[in-house]
Amino acid sequence: MEKSKKEVLVLEDILGSNKKIAGSIRQKLLEHRILTVNILSSPGSGKTSLLEKLGLKLQEKYKVGVIEGDVETERDAERIRKAGLPAWQITTHGACHLEAKMLAQIFDQIPANLDFLFIENVGNLVCPASFDLGESLRFVLLSVPEGDDKPKKYPEAFITSNVFVITKCDLLPYLPFDADRVTAEALEINPKLEVFRTSALTGEGIDALSQYLENKLQELRSKNA
Amino acid sequence: MHELSIVADLFSIIEEQAKQARATRVTKVKVLIGELSGVVPELFRSAFQSYKKGTIADKAKLEIKITKIKFKCHNCGQEIKAKDISSPDFSYACPACGSKDVELVSGRDLYLEKLEIETES
């Protein structure tokens, strides 16, 4: 037997398998006419608190569900359930992000009659940005105590998102955080971003964000009538 | 550190391609990593080195080519490579006319470009 060397041109997307699974999840969610939001931020920036308020507001008129992604524990899912919303926990056991295949494993538990499905990703502003989960919209959150220099430091999260939410805005009077500057910087990276300022404590911005999502749901349903 | 998950997906493609080509060994793996892909090349390399053990590519060299960020400008119509993202003059604007009405056309990619394999015949 003789050994020979050769080159094979492949040109295959390394994340292709994740994108394929995400694509079939997206297809199913659209068939069920569910608006799905993937929420990205660093740990402690208020994803769960925002979801408690926003979820309850939307639940006045709609059916809402929440998937919680965490490295360990079921704490966030318990918090969401306590707030009165159905929640499903995915624990990644070490992985720093959610992948479409993790979602596929629990997908059968998600009721088909939901209007809104929120996916709270693992707290991390870097890794989750690379993985499509089949969502309709992606939110990136940044809280006032984190500082206003983040968008350009974590560009992928801002480039791939549709909505930028500045959370904990009740702290704006006390901290050197320039909300206009951070908005301008985020829009420089991604001019298509919709920007909202919220506070889960005072309720600021929750109505506006919920109205935005209602409009997006109508849009999705008129496109997939 | 999501590089390890991405490397695991890379190896699924490598093993599939090697099988199709009836390779006995993979000697080189060339990947394209976009500057804005969110992947850190050094971490990707160390994940590759630890993952390759015991696979068909256990002696393979990894070649990484960084794909530069390229913008298409809606103002002047040009498609231009941006400055290095780590340089202080990098901006999300057209490098030719300065317009901010730009679209990212490359720099987010993550591709297995080619493999060098050994076959027995």
Side-chain angles (χ1 to χ4, degrees), chain B residues 25-62:
Chain B
R25 172 163 278 176
V26 174
T27 50
K28 200 197 269 178
V29 175
K30 189 172 175 192
V31 297
L32 305 176
I33 295 181
E35 257 189 326
L36 263 180
S37 64
V39 166
V40 182
E42 296 78 46
L43 295 179
F44 190 90
R45 190 175 288 283
S46 55
F48 182 89
Q49 300 306 347
S50 49
Y51 203 95
K52 73 178 185 182
K53 286 173 194 141
T55 72
I56 192 162
D58 63 352
K59 297 262 170 17
K61 270 194 193 151
L62 174 67

PDB file of all heavy atoms in Angstrom, chain B residues 25-62:
ATOM      1  N   ARG B  25      -5.479   9.425   7.532  1.00  0.00           N
ATOM      2  CA  ARG B  25      -5.005  10.415   8.499  1.00  0.00           C
ATOM      3  C   ARG B  25      -5.263  11.817   7.948  1.00  0.00           C
ATOM      4  O   ARG B  25      -5.210  12.038   6.746  1.00  0.00           O
ATOM      5  CB  ARG B  25      -3.502  10.189   8.681  1.00  0.00           C
ATOM      6  CG  ARG B  25      -2.815  11.231   9.499  1.00  0.00           C
ATOM      7  CD  ARG B  25      -1.478  10.746   9.966  1.00  0.00           C
ATOM      8  NE  ARG B  25      -1.633   9.909  11.147  1.00  0.00           N
ATOM      9  CZ  ARG B  25      -0.602   9.274  11.735  1.00  0.00           C
ATOM     10  NH1 ARG B  25       0.598   9.339  11.205  1.00  0.00           N
ATOM     11  NH2 ARG B  25      -0.799   8.575  12.822  1.00  0.00           N
ATOM     12  N   VAL B  26      -5.560  12.715   8.866  1.00  0.00           N
ATOM     13  CA  VAL B  26      -5.690  14.127   8.471  1.00  0.00           C
ATOM     14  C   VAL B  26      -4.423  14.824   8.958  1.00  0.00           C
ATOM     15  O   VAL B  26      -4.073  14.726  10.138  1.00  0.00           O
ATOM     16  CB  VAL B  26      -6.936  14.787   9.098  1.00  0.00           C
ATOM     17  CG1 VAL B  26      -6.980  16.281   8.801  1.00  0.00           C
ATOM     18  CG2 VAL B  26      -8.205  14.103   8.591  1.00  0.00           C
ATOM     19  N   THR B  27      -3.701  15.474   8.046  1.00  0.00           N
ATOM     20  CA  THR B  27      -2.411  16.053   8.434  1.00  0.00           C
ATOM     21  C   THR B  27      -2.456  17.573   8.604  1.00  0.00           C
ATOM     22  O   THR B  27      -1.590  18.143   9.235  1.00  0.00           O
ATOM     23  CB  THR B  27      -1.320  15.693   7.408  1.00  0.00           C
ATOM     24  OG1 THR B  27      -1.822  16.018   6.103  1.00  0.00           O
ATOM     25  CG2 THR B  27      -0.976  14.221   7.462  1.00  0.00           C
ATOM     26  N   LYS B  28      -3.451  18.197   7.984  1.00  0.00           N
ATOM     27  CA  LYS B  28      -3.552  19.651   8.163  1.00  0.00           C
ATOM     28  C   LYS B  28      -5.017  20.074   8.116  1.00  0.00           C
ATOM     29  O   LYS B  28      -5.798  19.546   7.325  1.00  0.00           O
ATOM     30  CB  LYS B  28      -2.773  20.377   7.068  1.00  0.00           C
ATOM     31  CG  LYS B  28      -2.427  21.813   7.461  1.00  0.00           C
ATOM     32  CD  LYS B  28      -2.036  22.649   6.277  1.00  0.00           C
ATOM     33  CE  LYS B  28      -0.531  22.638   6.003  1.00  0.00           C
ATOM     34  NZ  LYS B  28      -0.199  23.433   4.792  1.00  0.00           N
ATOM     35  N   VAL B  29      -5.359  21.029   8.974  1.00  0.00           N
ATOM     36  CA  VAL B  29      -6.720  21.559   9.005  1.00  0.00           C
ATOM     37  C   VAL B  29      -6.623  23.067   8.863  1.00  0.00           C
ATOM     38  O   VAL B  29      -5.903  23.713   9.628  1.00  0.00           O
ATOM     39  CB  VAL B  29      -7.406  21.213  10.357  1.00  0.00           C
ATOM     40  CG1 VAL B  29      -8.778  21.863  10.460  1.00  0.00           C
ATOM     41  CG2 VAL B  29      -7.497  19.700  10.560  1.00  0.00           C
ATOM     42  N   LYS B  30      -7.297  23.595   7.856  1.00  0.00           N
ATOM     43  CA  LYS B  30      -7.228  25.050   7.681  1.00  0.00           C
ATOM     44  C   LYS B  30      -8.599  25.669   7.926  1.00  0.00           C
ATOM     45  O   LYS B  30      -9.578  25.297   7.288  1.00  0.00           O
ATOM     46  CB  LYS B  30      -6.737  25.387   6.274  1.00  0.00           C
ATOM     47  CG  LYS B  30      -6.447  26.862   6.138  1.00  0.00           C
ATOM     48  CD  LYS B  30      -5.786  27.205   4.826  1.00  0.00           C
ATOM     49  CE  LYS B  30      -5.644  28.718   4.745  1.00  0.00           C
ATOM     50  NZ  LYS B  30      -5.285  29.161   3.403  1.00  0.00           N
ATOM     51  N   VAL B  31      -8.654  26.576   8.870  1.00  0.00           N
ATOM     52  CA  VAL B  31      -9.938  27.214   9.181  1.00  0.00           C
ATOM     53  C   VAL B  31      -9.869  28.722   8.945  1.00  0.00           C
ATOM     54  O   VAL B  31      -8.794  29.324   8.992  1.00  0.00           O
ATOM     55  CB  VAL B  31     -10.376  26.964  10.654  1.00  0.00           C
ATOM     56  CG1 VAL B  31     -10.615  25.501  10.921  1.00  0.00           C
ATOM     57  CG2 VAL B  31      -9.368  27.525  11.642  1.00  0.00           C
ATOM     58  N   LEU B  32     -11.025  29.291   8.682  1.00  0.00           N
ATOM     59  CA  LEU B  32     -11.140  30.738   8.533  1.00  0.00           C
ATOM     60  C   LEU B  32     -11.920  31.269   9.732  1.00  0.00           C
ATOM     61  O   LEU B  32     -13.024  30.788  10.016  1.00  0.00           O
ATOM     62  CB  LEU B  32     -11.913  31.093   7.259  1.00  0.00           C
ATOM     63  CG  LEU B  32     -11.384  30.515   5.951  1.00  0.00           C
ATOM     64  CD1 LEU B  32     -12.316  30.888   4.801  1.00  0.00           C
ATOM     65  CD2 LEU B  32      -9.979  31.050   5.675  1.00  0.00           C
ATOM     66  N   ILE B  33     -11.341  32.202  10.449  1.00  0.00           N
ATOM     67  CA  ILE B  33     -12.014  32.774  11.607  1.00  0.00           C
ATOM     68  C   ILE B  33     -12.182  34.274  11.410  1.00  0.00           C
ATOM     69  O   ILE B  33     -11.205  34.997  11.234  1.00  0.00           O
ATOM     70  CB  ILE B  33     -11.205  32.502  12.905  1.00  0.00           C
ATOM     71  CG1 ILE B  33     -11.165  30.997  13.187  1.00  0.00           C
ATOM     72  CG2 ILE B  33     -11.799  33.256  14.096  1.00  0.00           C
ATOM     73  CD1 ILE B  33     -10.411  30.616  14.452  1.00  0.00           C
ATOM     74  N   GLY B  34     -13.402  34.724  11.413  1.00  0.00           N
ATOM     75  CA  GLY B  34     -13.683  36.150  11.229  1.00  0.00           C
ATOM     76  C   GLY B  34     -13.266  36.946  12.451  1.00  0.00           C
ATOM     77  O   GLY B  34     -13.416  36.479  13.580  1.00  0.00           O
ATOM     78  N   GLU B  35     -12.759  38.146  12.200  1.00  0.00           N
ATOM     79  CA  GLU B  35     -12.336  39.030  13.297  1.00  0.00           C
ATOM     80  C   GLU B  35     -13.484  39.339  14.252  1.00  0.00           C
ATOM     81  O   GLU B  35     -13.284  39.644  15.408  1.00  0.00           O
ATOM     82  CB  GLU B  35     -11.860  40.369  12.703  1.00  0.00           C
ATOM     83  CG  GLU B  35     -10.383  40.525  12.661  1.00  0.00           C
ATOM     84  CD  GLU B  35     -10.014  41.958  12.268  1.00  0.00           C
ATOM     85  OE1 GLU B  35     -10.728  42.588  11.460  1.00  0.00           O
ATOM     86  OE2 GLU B  35      -9.003  42.433  12.772  1.00  0.00           O
ATOM     87  N   LEU B  36     -14.715  39.294  13.722  1.00  0.00           N
ATOM     88  CA  LEU B  36     -15.879  39.607  14.547  1.00  0.00           C
ATOM     89  C   LEU B  36     -16.721  38.370  14.834  1.00  0.00           C
ATOM     90  O   LEU B  36     -17.902  38.471  15.119  1.00  0.00           O
ATOM     91  CB  LEU B  36     -16.758  40.628  13.825  1.00  0.00           C
ATOM     92  CG  LEU B  36     -16.591  42.077  14.208  1.00  0.00           C
ATOM     93  CD1 LEU B  36     -17.547  42.938  13.401  1.00  0.00           C
ATOM     94  CD2 LEU B  36     -16.849  42.295  15.689  1.00  0.00           C
ATOM     95  N   SER B  37     -16.101  37.192  14.753  1.00  0.00           N
ATOM     96  CA  SER B  37     -16.883  35.963  14.946  1.00  0.00           C
ATOM     97  C   SER B  37     -17.096  35.681  16.423  1.00  0.00           C
ATOM     98  O   SER B  37     -17.885  34.817  16.780  1.00  0.00           O
ATOM     99  CB  SER B  37     -16.148  34.783  14.316  1.00  0.00           C
ATOM    100  OG  SER B  37     -14.927  34.580  15.002  1.00  0.00           O
ATOM    101  N   GLY B  38     -16.387  36.371  17.288  1.00  0.00           N
ATOM    102  CA  GLY B  38     -16.507  36.101  18.715  1.00  0.00           C
ATOM    103  C   GLY B  38     -15.605  34.955  19.157  1.00  0.00           C
ATOM    104  O   GLY B  38     -15.655  34.535  20.306  1.00  0.00           O
ATOM    105  N   VAL B  39     -14.794  34.432  18.228  1.00  0.00           N
ATOM    106  CA  VAL B  39     -13.892  33.332  18.569  1.00  0.00           C
ATOM    107  C   VAL B  39     -12.476  33.883  18.746  1.00  0.00           C
ATOM    108  O   VAL B  39     -11.991  34.657  17.922  1.00  0.00           O
ATOM    109  CB  VAL B  39     -13.915  32.258  17.457  1.00  0.00           C
ATOM    110  CG1 VAL B  39     -12.770  31.282  17.596  1.00  0.00           C
ATOM    111  CG2 VAL B  39     -15.244  31.525  17.493  1.00  0.00           C
ATOM    112  N   VAL B  40     -11.843  33.483  19.835  1.00  0.00           N
ATOM    113  CA  VAL B  40     -10.471  33.924  20.094  1.00  0.00           C
ATOM    114  C   VAL B  40      -9.520  32.871  19.510  1.00  0.00           C
ATOM    115  O   VAL B  40      -9.538  31.718  19.942  1.00  0.00           O
ATOM    116  CB  VAL B  40     -10.224  34.066  21.615  1.00  0.00           C
ATOM    117  CG1 VAL B  40      -8.820  34.577  21.894  1.00  0.00           C
ATOM    118  CG2 VAL B  40     -11.263  34.989  22.238  1.00  0.00           C
ATOM    119  N   PRO B  41      -8.706  33.255  18.505  1.00  0.00           N
ATOM    120  CA  PRO B  41      -7.873  32.259  17.830  1.00  0.00           C
ATOM    121  C   PRO B  41      -6.994  31.428  18.774  1.00  0.00           C
ATOM    122  O   PRO B  41      -6.884  30.215  18.594  1.00  0.00           O
ATOM    123  CB  PRO B  41      -7.020  33.093  16.876  1.00  0.00           C
ATOM    124  CG  PRO B  41      -7.831  34.320  16.631  1.00  0.00           C
ATOM    125  CD  PRO B  41      -8.594  34.581  17.893  1.00  0.00           C
ATOM    126  N   GLU B  42      -6.403  32.047  19.791  1.00  0.00           N
ATOM    127  CA  GLU B  42      -5.521  31.290  20.704  1.00  0.00           C
ATOM    128  C   GLU B  42      -6.320  30.230  21.471  1.00  0.00           C
ATOM    129  O   GLU B  42      -5.837  29.123  21.689  1.00  0.00           O
ATOM    130  CB  GLU B  42      -4.830  32.204  21.719  1.00  0.00           C
ATOM    131  CG  GLU B  42      -3.875  33.237  21.140  1.00  0.00           C
ATOM    132  CD  GLU B  42      -4.608  34.422  20.550  1.00  0.00           C
ATOM    133  OE1 GLU B  42      -5.526  34.937  21.212  1.00  0.00           O
ATOM    134  OE2 GLU B  42      -4.293  34.824  19.403  1.00  0.00           O
ATOM    135  N   LEU B  43      -7.523  30.596  21.879  1.00  0.00           N
ATOM    136  CA  LEU B  43      -8.349  29.633  22.611  1.00  0.00           C
ATOM    137  C   LEU B  43      -8.826  28.517  21.693  1.00  0.00           C
ATOM    138  O   LEU B  43      -8.922  27.359  22.083  1.00  0.00           O
ATOM    139  CB  LEU B  43      -9.565  30.332  23.240  1.00  0.00           C
ATOM    140  CG  LEU B  43      -9.257  31.359  24.328  1.00  0.00           C
ATOM    141  CD1 LEU B  43     -10.541  31.993  24.833  1.00  0.00           C
ATOM    142  CD2 LEU B  43      -8.519  30.700  25.487  1.00  0.00           C
ATOM    143  N   PHE B  44      -9.097  28.904  20.442  1.00  0.00           N
ATOM    144  CA  PHE B  44      -9.503  27.921  19.448  1.00  0.00           C
ATOM    145  C   PHE B  44      -8.376  26.918  19.240  1.00  0.00           C
ATOM    146  O   PHE B  44      -8.588  25.706  19.195  1.00  0.00           O
ATOM    147  CB  PHE B  44      -9.828  28.646  18.138  1.00  0.00           C
ATOM    148  CG  PHE B  44     -10.478  27.784  17.097  1.00  0.00           C
ATOM    149  CD1 PHE B  44     -11.859  27.679  17.057  1.00  0.00           C
ATOM    150  CD2 PHE B  44      -9.719  27.086  16.164  1.00  0.00           C
ATOM    151  CE1 PHE B  44     -12.475  26.889  16.098  1.00  0.00           C
ATOM    152  CE2 PHE B  44     -10.332  26.294  15.211  1.00  0.00           C
ATOM    153  CZ  PHE B  44     -11.715  26.195  15.172  1.00  0.00           C
ATOM    154  N   ARG B  45      -7.155  27.446  19.156  1.00  0.00           N
ATOM    155  CA  ARG B  45      -5.993  26.584  18.941  1.00  0.00           C
ATOM    156  C   ARG B  45      -5.795  25.623  20.119  1.00  0.00           C
ATOM    157  O   ARG B  45      -5.574  24.431  19.924  1.00  0.00           O
ATOM    158  CB  ARG B  45      -4.733  27.452  18.729  1.00  0.00           C
ATOM    159  CG  ARG B  45      -3.523  26.679  18.269  1.00  0.00           C
ATOM    160  CD  ARG B  45      -2.344  27.606  17.962  1.00  0.00           C
ATOM    161  NE  ARG B  45      -2.526  28.390  16.750  1.00  0.00           N
ATOM    162  CZ  ARG B  45      -2.381  27.889  15.511  1.00  0.00           C
ATOM    163  NH1 ARG B  45      -2.047  26.639  15.336  1.00  0.00           N
ATOM    164  NH2 ARG B  45      -2.564  28.654  14.455  1.00  0.00           N
ATOM    165  N   SER B  46      -5.912  26.118  21.342  1.00  0.00           N
ATOM    166  CA  SER B  46      -5.675  25.198  22.462  1.00  0.00           C
ATOM    167  C   SER B  46      -6.811  24.181  22.582  1.00  0.00           C
ATOM    168  O   SER B  46      -6.581  23.028  22.922  1.00  0.00           O
ATOM    169  CB  SER B  46      -5.402  25.940  23.764  1.00  0.00           C
ATOM    170  OG  SER B  46      -6.435  26.820  24.045  1.00  0.00           O
ATOM    171  N   ALA B  47      -8.040  24.602  22.253  1.00  0.00           N
ATOM    172  CA  ALA B  47      -9.150  23.641  22.248  1.00  0.00           C
ATOM    173  C   ALA B  47      -8.898  22.563  21.184  1.00  0.00           C
ATOM    174  O   ALA B  47      -9.127  21.377  21.410  1.00  0.00           O
ATOM    175  CB  ALA B  47     -10.470  24.356  21.973  1.00  0.00           C
ATOM    176  N   PHE B  48      -8.393  22.986  20.023  1.00  0.00           N
ATOM    177  CA  PHE B  48      -8.095  22.045  18.938  1.00  0.00           C
ATOM    178  C   PHE B  48      -7.040  21.032  19.379  1.00  0.00           C
ATOM    179  O   PHE B  48      -7.190  19.827  19.166  1.00  0.00           O
ATOM    180  CB  PHE B  48      -7.606  22.829  17.709  1.00  0.00           C
ATOM    181  CG  PHE B  48      -7.319  21.973  16.505  1.00  0.00           C
ATOM    182  CD1 PHE B  48      -8.321  21.684  15.595  1.00  0.00           C
ATOM    183  CD2 PHE B  48      -6.046  21.456  16.276  1.00  0.00           C
ATOM    184  CE1 PHE B  48      -8.071  20.889  14.474  1.00  0.00           C
ATOM    185  CE2 PHE B  48      -5.781  20.659  15.165  1.00  0.00           C
ATOM    186  CZ  PHE B  48      -6.800  20.376  14.262  1.00  0.00           C
ATOM    187  N   GLN B  49      -5.972  21.549  20.021  1.00  0.00           N
ATOM    188  CA  GLN B  49      -4.877  20.659  20.442  1.00  0.00           C
ATOM    189  C   GLN B  49      -5.365  19.607  21.436  1.00  0.00           C
ATOM    190  O   GLN B  49      -4.939  18.467  21.390  1.00  0.00           O
ATOM    191  CB  GLN B  49      -3.713  21.444  21.060  1.00  0.00           C
ATOM    192  CG  GLN B  49      -3.054  22.479  20.136  1.00  0.00           C
ATOM    193  CD  GLN B  49      -2.577  21.922  18.810  1.00  0.00           C
ATOM    194  OE1 GLN B  49      -2.504  20.716  18.597  1.00  0.00           O
ATOM    195  NE2 GLN B  49      -2.260  22.806  17.871  1.00  0.00           N
ATOM    196  N   SER B  50      -6.267  19.990  22.327  1.00  0.00           N
ATOM    197  CA  SER B  50      -6.689  18.968  23.284  1.00  0.00           C
ATOM    198  C   SER B  50      -7.759  18.049  22.695  1.00  0.00           C
ATOM    199  O   SER B  50      -7.816  16.880  23.031  1.00  0.00           O
ATOM    200  CB  SER B  50      -7.129  19.581  24.617  1.00  0.00           C
ATOM    201  OG  SER B  50      -8.023  20.610  24.406  1.00  0.00           O
ATOM    202  N   TYR B  51      -8.573  18.587  21.793  1.00  0.00           N
ATOM    203  CA  TYR B  51      -9.647  17.758  21.232  1.00  0.00           C
ATOM    204  C   TYR B  51      -9.128  16.720  20.236  1.00  0.00           C
ATOM    205  O   TYR B  51      -9.695  15.636  20.096  1.00  0.00           O
ATOM    206  CB  TYR B  51     -10.687  18.650  20.532  1.00  0.00           C
ATOM    207  CG  TYR B  51     -12.038  18.003  20.422  1.00  0.00           C
ATOM    208  CD1 TYR B  51     -13.022  18.241  21.380  1.00  0.00           C
ATOM    209  CD2 TYR B  51     -12.340  17.131  19.377  1.00  0.00           C
ATOM    210  CE1 TYR B  51     -14.257  17.646  21.305  1.00  0.00           C
ATOM    211  CE2 TYR B  51     -13.576  16.526  19.296  1.00  0.00           C
ATOM    212  CZ  TYR B  51     -14.532  16.782  20.258  1.00  0.00           C
ATOM    213  OH  TYR B  51     -15.762  16.189  20.186  1.00  0.00           O
ATOM    214  N   LYS B  52      -8.009  17.041  19.551  1.00  0.00           N
ATOM    215  CA  LYS B  52      -7.566  16.177  18.445  1.00  0.00           C
ATOM    216  C   LYS B  52      -7.044  14.815  18.908  1.00  0.00           C
ATOM    217  O   LYS B  52      -7.020  13.860  18.134  1.00  0.00           O
ATOM    218  CB  LYS B  52      -6.516  16.892  17.597  1.00  0.00           C
ATOM    219  CG  LYS B  52      -5.137  17.037  18.231  1.00  0.00           C
ATOM    220  CD  LYS B  52      -4.188  17.719  17.245  1.00  0.00           C
ATOM    221  CE  LYS B  52      -2.778  17.767  17.784  1.00  0.00           C
ATOM    222  NZ  LYS B  52      -1.863  18.464  16.846  1.00  0.00           N
ATOM    223  N   LYS B  53      -6.663  14.726  20.177  1.00  0.00           N
ATOM    224  CA  LYS B  53      -6.085  13.471  20.686  1.00  0.00           C
ATOM    225  C   LYS B  53      -7.043  12.300  20.474  1.00  0.00           C
ATOM    226  O   LYS B  53      -8.220  12.378  20.811  1.00  0.00           O
ATOM    227  CB  LYS B  53      -5.750  13.604  22.175  1.00  0.00           C
ATOM    228  CG  LYS B  53      -4.518  14.457  22.379  1.00  0.00           C
ATOM    229  CD  LYS B  53      -4.244  14.753  23.841  1.00  0.00           C
ATOM    230  CE  LYS B  53      -3.234  15.880  23.935  1.00  0.00           C
ATOM    231  NZ  LYS B  53      -3.524  16.807  25.009  1.00  0.00           N
ATOM    232  N   GLY B  54      -6.505  11.235  19.894  1.00  0.00           N
ATOM    233  CA  GLY B  54      -7.311  10.041  19.681  1.00  0.00           C
ATOM    234  C   GLY B  54      -8.244  10.107  18.478  1.00  0.00           C
ATOM    235  O   GLY B  54      -9.005   9.188  18.227  1.00  0.00           O
ATOM    236  N   THR B  55      -8.192  11.210  17.722  1.00  0.00           N
ATOM    237  CA  THR B  55      -9.015  11.290  16.514  1.00  0.00           C
ATOM    238  C   THR B  55      -8.139  11.042  15.287  1.00  0.00           C
ATOM    239  O   THR B  55      -6.917  10.926  15.401  1.00  0.00           O
ATOM    240  CB  THR B  55      -9.675  12.683  16.348  1.00  0.00           C
ATOM    241  OG1 THR B  55      -8.654  13.618  15.970  1.00  0.00           O
ATOM    242  CG2 THR B  55     -10.333  13.146  17.632  1.00  0.00           C
ATOM    243  N   ILE B  56      -8.787  11.028  14.122  1.00  0.00           N
ATOM    244  CA  ILE B  56      -8.054  10.815  12.870  1.00  0.00           C
ATOM    245  C   ILE B  56      -7.096  11.983  12.586  1.00  0.00           C
ATOM    246  O   ILE B  56      -6.174  11.869  11.792  1.00  0.00           O
ATOM    247  CB  ILE B  56      -9.049  10.592  11.707  1.00  0.00           C
ATOM    248  CG1 ILE B  56      -8.310  10.071  10.474  1.00  0.00           C
ATOM    249  CG2 ILE B  56      -9.828  11.875  11.382  1.00  0.00           C
ATOM    250  CD1 ILE B  56      -9.178   9.424   9.448  1.00  0.00           C
ATOM    251  N   ALA B  57      -7.312  13.086  13.289  1.00  0.00           N
ATOM    252  CA  ALA B  57      -6.481  14.273  13.069  1.00  0.00           C
ATOM    253  C   ALA B  57      -5.500  14.483  14.221  1.00  0.00           C
ATOM    254  O   ALA B  57      -5.055  15.601  14.485  1.00  0.00           O
ATOM    255  CB  ALA B  57      -7.377  15.496  12.900  1.00  0.00           C
ATOM    256  N   ASP B  58      -5.130  13.392  14.907  1.00  0.00           N
ATOM    257  CA  ASP B  58      -4.326  13.594  16.126  1.00  0.00           C
ATOM    258  C   ASP B  58      -2.930  14.145  15.888  1.00  0.00           C
ATOM    259  O   ASP B  58      -2.294  14.642  16.824  1.00  0.00           O
ATOM    260  CB  ASP B  58      -4.303  12.340  17.017  1.00  0.00           C
ATOM    261  CG  ASP B  58      -3.650  11.149  16.355  1.00  0.00           C
ATOM    262  OD1 ASP B  58      -3.340  11.249  15.139  1.00  0.00           O
ATOM    263  OD2 ASP B  58      -3.470  10.118  17.017  1.00  0.00           O
ATOM    264  N   LYS B  59      -2.456  14.087  14.623  1.00  0.00           N
ATOM    265  CA  LYS B  59      -1.152  14.686  14.335  1.00  0.00           C
ATOM    266  C   LYS B  59      -1.314  15.937  13.465  1.00  0.00           C
ATOM    267  O   LYS B  59      -0.329  16.460  12.947  1.00  0.00           O
ATOM    268  CB  LYS B  59      -0.254  13.670  13.605  1.00  0.00           C
ATOM    269  CG  LYS B  59       0.084  12.421  14.432  1.00  0.00           C
ATOM    270  CD  LYS B  59       1.451  12.586  15.059  1.00  0.00           C
ATOM    271  CE  LYS B  59       1.834  11.549  16.097  1.00  0.00           C
ATOM    272  NZ  LYS B  59       1.126  10.301  16.184  1.00  0.00           N
ATOM    273  N   ALA B  60      -2.545  16.359  13.286  1.00  0.00           N
ATOM    274  CA  ALA B  60      -2.791  17.428  12.319  1.00  0.00           C
ATOM    275  C   ALA B  60      -2.310  18.788  12.805  1.00  0.00           C
ATOM    276  O   ALA B  60      -2.389  19.117  13.978  1.00  0.00           O
ATOM    277  CB  ALA B  60      -4.277  17.504  11.997  1.00  0.00           C
ATOM    278  N   LYS B  61      -1.812  19.546  11.822  1.00  0.00           N
ATOM    279  CA  LYS B  61      -1.450  20.941  12.094  1.00  0.00           C
ATOM    280  C   LYS B  61      -2.688  21.792  11.871  1.00  0.00           C
ATOM    281  O   LYS B  61      -3.450  21.538  10.942  1.00  0.00           O
ATOM    282  CB  LYS B  61      -0.392  21.388  11.083  1.00  0.00           C
ATOM    283  CG  LYS B  61       1.010  21.140  11.546  1.00  0.00           C
ATOM    284  CD  LYS B  61       1.954  21.938  10.643  1.00  0.00           C
ATOM    285  CE  LYS B  61       3.373  21.472  10.858  1.00  0.00           C
ATOM    286  NZ  LYS B  61       4.190  21.645   9.659  1.00  0.00           N
ATOM    287  N   LEU B  62      -2.835  22.800  12.694  1.00  0.00           N
ATOM    288  CA  LEU B  62      -3.968  23.710  12.517  1.00  0.00           C
ATOM    289  C   LEU B  62      -3.461  25.015  11.920  1.00  0.00           C
ATOM    290  O   LEU B  62      -2.528  25.623  12.428  1.00  0.00           O
ATOM    291  CB  LEU B  62      -4.633  23.986  13.868  1.00  0.00           C
ATOM    292  CG  LEU B  62      -5.748  25.031  13.865  1.00  0.00           C
ATOM    293  CD1 LEU B  62      -6.955  24.535  13.082  1.00  0.00           C
ATOM    294  CD2 LEU B  62      -6.153  25.391  15.286  1.00  0.00           C
TER     295      LEU B  62
END
